[in-house]
Amino acid sequence: MSHYYQADPNLDTTEFPITFDVDGRSFTVNSSAGVFSKEGLDTGSRILCETILKEAKPVADFLDLGCGIGVIGVILASFWNSRLVAIDPNSQACHLAEENYAKYNIEATVLNQDHVNDQNYPLIVLNPPIRTGKQVIYSLFEQSAAHLLPGGSLWIVIRKQHGAQSAMDKLNELGLTTRRVTRDKGFWVIEARKPE
């Protein structure tokens, strides 16, 4: 079975456009089979982006961890005019993300890997790959906590029934200060801030 968290070399990689609107702006990006939410902007990412745009201060650069085809990066970097690093283990998703950032003239470094690089960030955004299981997700939390600048924030979106409260507990264990910022359609948006 193919899964969006890993590239399947046998998949049809024919690209097609998807269009969505966020906060009054329209975006069209390239998608294909074998990537997360290939048909459009998923509800969790939409709620996450709308919450961040409303609640977070713009930053000059950020990390999109598990970037997929780059929708979150395209949205935030377009509104903030910022740079980003985008990381994903799926090579097809990374290829599409590079195309999508270039289309919107976004300065982005795309890394095809499953771990955070050696840079530290003022803001990290993560729509956790729930189907990979708690071990993978908690590893991403741990890496994010280690690579936040003092005072920086990790923003995640997770369904309540997929373990939102235990995710908050884990982030607190890692020394971050958490708050549930939004609760919408069963999704929680959580900000986890590193002490100054």
Side-chain angles (χ1 to χ4, degrees):
M1 176 183 155
S2 67
H3 188 266
Y4 64 80
Y5 201 63
Q6 296 159 331
D8 179 349
N10 301 313
L11 280 176
D12 178 5
T13 55
T14 303
E15 297 179 17
F16 52 84
I18 58 172
T19 300
F20 51 88
D21 296 312
V22 175
D23 276 10
R25 286 199 197 183
S26 183
F27 298 92
T28 300
V29 298
N30 291 339
S31 187
S32 76
V35 298
F36 175 66
S37 193
K38 68 180 184 208
E39 302 290 344
L41 180 63
D42 64 289
T43 303
S45 292
R46 174 182 294 281
I47 292 168
L48 179 61
C49 286
E50 288 174 346
T51 301
I52 291 172
L53 289 171
K54 185 177 166 191
E55 298 284 341
K57 290 179 181 165
V59 291
D61 58 282
F62 64 94
L63 169 64
D64 184 359
L65 183 55
C67 65
I69 65 170
V71 289
I72 292 174
V74 165
I75 293 165
L76 296 181
S78 293
F79 277 95
W80 288 348
N81 193 26
S82 52
R83 302 176 304 274
L84 76 145
V85 173
I87 293 175
D88 201 282
N90 181 323
S91 57
Q92 174 64 8
C94 287
H95 165 71
L96 291 163
E98 285 183 328
E99 289 185 350
N100 293 328
Y101 299 139
K103 179 177 180 180
Y104 286 93
N105 297 310
I106 292 164
E107 189 181 329
T109 301
V110 180
L111 302 174
N112 182 196
Q113 58 194 45
D114 63 358
H115 57 277
V116 178
N117 60 335
D118 58 4
Q119 198 171 328
N120 291 333
Y121 300 91
L123 186 143
I124 299 174
V125 60
L126 171 65
N127 184 347
I130 293 298
R131 292 179 196 169
T132 60
K134 204 173 262 192
Q135 187 175 351
V136 169
I137 292 166
Y138 282 8
S139 170
L140 295 174
F141 288 175
E142 289 161 4
Q143 293 176 58
S144 296
H147 288 278
L148 278 174
L149 290 167
S153 288
L154 167 66
W155 289 82
I156 70 165
V157 62
I158 187 167
R159 283 186 183 272
K160 183 182 179 190
Q161 72 263 33
H162 287 161
Q165 185 58 60
S166 59
M168 286 186 80
D169 294 343
K170 177 64 177 179
L171 292 164
N172 284 325
E173 274 177 34
L174 294 171
L176 305 178
T177 303
T178 61
R179 66 183 182 115
R180 187 184 68 202
V181 184
T182 301
R183 182 171 55 184
D184 187 7
K185 298 182 178 71
F187 289 94
W188 289 14
V189 175
I190 299 163
E191 179 193 20
R193 183 175 290 274
K194 191 166 192 171
E196 294 279 358

